[in-house]
Amino acid sequence: MHQAVVVRREVKAAIQLVAWLRARSMSLATCTQHDIDDWLATDIWVRYLARTFLVWSVRNRHAHRVLIPIPSKDASMVIIEQDQRWAHVRRLVKGDGVDTTTRVAGLLLLLFAQPLSRTSRIRLAQVTRTEGGVALTLGSHPTDLPPPLDSLVLELVQQRHGYSTLGRSGDHPWLFPGKAGGQPISSRQLMRKLTALGIKARPARNTTLMDLSADLPAVVLSRLLGLHINRAEKWTKEAGSVRADYAAELSRRKACGKSQ
């Protein structure tokens, strides 16, 4: 089903490219690489999905000397299946043989789409006790943490006070202290810990952001997760498109099933 959705999105991107050219009194035959570069620069990564169509157009001489490059890692949208995402969550919640640092970092990634670069630099001051439990300020507004993440975060806070007996400074501000005195853990260290569990940070974060963006308004996403409002708006727009494609594919399959 995922492959079918990708194909539908590639077709949609191709249609959008042709419409974009026509709106500017151009066609595949007359457009230049400069025009294609403008197309790629004016929206998010989804426009790269027209690459398959453009390669076909050049090969069949409908277009000439133009190319959409293979997107960089930053531009590409690599995701994982939601079932896989929640399997990772369940493993971290259960916690068998997994240290608290890895569990907290992984759950913040899989539940709140926090990049490891930000997670590694979370300060103790961002953790607050509330009447209902524990809150963590990731953006401009605190986010209530679900169990057992709330208790795991408190466990890290308590462990932090014990580090002074191991020769570490007791006055550092970090929730995830590193090996060097007064410094936080590196995002690379967190990545290694999660990779050892089969959790790839970028695809996991993309999937989490896609899921949250489909349910939360951009302004809420920005305030709770610390995401820039422009990025939040692009994510909610893209999530709506993906969900529509997914729903259409489900409807098509159900219709085909009834007709058989």
Side-chain angles (χ1 to χ4, degrees):
M1 181 176 292
H2 175 69
Q3 184 177 3
V5 172
V6 170
V7 171
R8 290 173 65 87
R9 294 170 71 188
E10 288 183 345
V11 171
K12 176 184 276 188
I15 293 172
Q16 290 175 346
L17 172 58
V18 172
W20 185 87
L21 290 171
R22 285 179 178 174
R24 288 156 180 76
S25 300
M26 292 183 289
S27 66
L28 286 170
T30 61
C31 72
T32 66
Q33 187 62 47
H34 178 74
D35 299 319
I36 297 300
D37 291 342
D38 283 347
W39 153 264
L40 296 175
T42 51
D43 210 293
I44 54 177
W45 64 272
V46 71
R47 292 199 168 187
Y48 282 84
L49 293 177
R51 182 179 189 276
T52 302
F53 169 70
L54 199 61
V55 169
W56 175 88
S57 298
V58 172
R59 184 181 299 134
N60 290 274
R61 301 182 179 179
H62 300 302
H64 307 280
R65 295 182 180 180
V66 289
L67 177 68
I68 292 178
I70 296 174
S72 66
K73 290 183 179 180
D74 289 335
S76 62
M77 174 55 69
V78 183
I79 61 175
I80 61 176
E81 297 294 336
Q82 287 289 355
D83 287 348
Q84 184 180 2
R85 174 193 168 207
W86 288 110
H88 289 322
V89 170
R90 287 191 293 271
R91 181 178 181 182
L92 293 174
V93 166
K94 192 174 181 180
D96 290 345
V98 182
D99 64 272
T100 305
T101 293
T102 305
R103 293 174 71 188
V104 172
L107 288 172
L108 289 176
L109 172 72
L110 293 160
L111 297 178
F112 298 104
Q114 290 301 292
L116 300 182
S117 58
R118 291 192 63 197
T119 295
S120 65
R121 301 188 69 82
I122 291 177
R123 294 173 176 266
L124 292 168
Q126 293 174 244
V127 181
T128 55
R129 286 183 177 272
T130 66
E131 292 184 1
V134 177
L136 180 62
T137 302
L138 302 171
S140 59
H141 289 58
T143 298
D144 291 328
L145 299 179
L149 181 54
D150 54 354
S151 59
L152 291 173
V153 168
L154 287 182
E155 184 178 330
L156 283 182
V157 173
Q158 293 167 359
Q159 287 178 359
R160 178 262 192 200
H161 291 295
Y163 285 153
S164 58
T165 62
L166 301 177
R168 300 188 181 188
S169 173
D171 59 356
H172 65 74
W174 312 110
L175 182 64
F176 298 91
K179 293 180 180 179
Q183 296 298 315
I185 192 172
S186 70
S187 58
R188 183 170 296 182
Q189 285 178 280
L190 292 180
M191 183 178 294
R192 283 198 294 264
K193 288 174 175 288
L194 293 175
T195 300
L197 298 178
I199 302 173
K200 296 182 179 180
R202 185 184 296 274
R205 181 172 184 259
N206 287 342
T207 303
T208 304
L209 261 178
M210 189 71 73
D211 190 37
L212 294 174
S213 299
D215 295 327
L216 297 175
V219 65
V220 175
L221 204 66
S222 175
R223 289 174 178 173
L224 291 182
L225 304 186
L227 200 63
H228 191 282
I229 186 61
N230 292 341
R231 295 297 300 168
E233 288 173 349
K234 288 182 178 181
W235 272 102
T236 52
K237 176 183 176 182
E238 186 57 31
S241 174
V242 172
R243 181 151 294 191
D245 286 346
Y246 183 76
E249 179 63 21
L250 282 178
S251 299
R252 187 190 68 78
R253 285 176 173 266
K254 289 180 180 179
C256 289
K258 291 180 180 180
S259 62
Q260 292 177 353

Short mmCIF file of all heavy atoms in Angstrom, two decimals, residues 7-8 18 207 209 239:
data_model
loop_
_atom_site.label_atom_id
_atom_site.label_comp_id
_atom_site.label_asym_id
_atom_site.label_seq_id
_atom_site.Cartn_x
_atom_site.Cartn_y
_atom_site.Cartn_z
N VAL A 7 3.44 6.25 -5.61
CA VAL A 7 3.18 6.43 -7.04
C VAL A 7 2.14 7.53 -7.25
O VAL A 7 2.29 8.40 -8.13
CB VAL A 7 2.72 5.12 -7.68
CG1 VAL A 7 2.24 5.36 -9.11
CG2 VAL A 7 3.85 4.10 -7.67
N ARG A 8 1.09 7.51 -6.46
CA ARG A 8 0.04 8.54 -6.58
C ARG A 8 0.62 9.92 -6.31
O ARG A 8 0.27 10.90 -6.97
CB ARG A 8 -1.10 8.24 -5.61
CG ARG A 8 -1.93 7.03 -6.00
CD ARG A 8 -2.93 6.69 -4.91
NE ARG A 8 -3.91 7.75 -4.76
CZ ARG A 8 -5.04 7.83 -5.48
NH1 ARG A 8 -5.30 6.92 -6.40
NH2 ARG A 8 -5.90 8.81 -5.28
N VAL A 18 3.47 20.39 -14.49
CA VAL A 18 2.92 20.81 -15.80
C VAL A 18 2.03 22.04 -15.63
O VAL A 18 2.11 23.00 -16.42
CB VAL A 18 2.14 19.65 -16.44
CG1 VAL A 18 1.40 20.14 -17.70
CG2 VAL A 18 3.08 18.50 -16.80
N THR A 207 8.27 10.52 10.49
CA THR A 207 6.99 9.83 10.67
C THR A 207 6.20 10.43 11.82
O THR A 207 4.99 10.63 11.72
CB THR A 207 7.24 8.33 10.92
OG1 THR A 207 7.99 7.80 9.83
CG2 THR A 207 5.93 7.57 11.03
N LEU A 209 6.47 13.51 13.04
CA LEU A 209 6.01 14.84 12.65
C LEU A 209 4.83 14.78 11.70
O LEU A 209 3.88 15.57 11.80
CB LEU A 209 7.16 15.61 11.98
CG LEU A 209 7.93 16.60 12.84
CD1 LEU A 209 9.06 17.23 12.06
CD2 LEU A 209 7.00 17.67 13.41
N ALA A 239 1.08 16.94 5.53
CA ALA A 239 0.38 15.84 6.20
C ALA A 239 -1.03 15.70 5.67
O ALA A 239 -1.54 14.59 5.49
CB ALA A 239 0.36 16.07 7.71
#
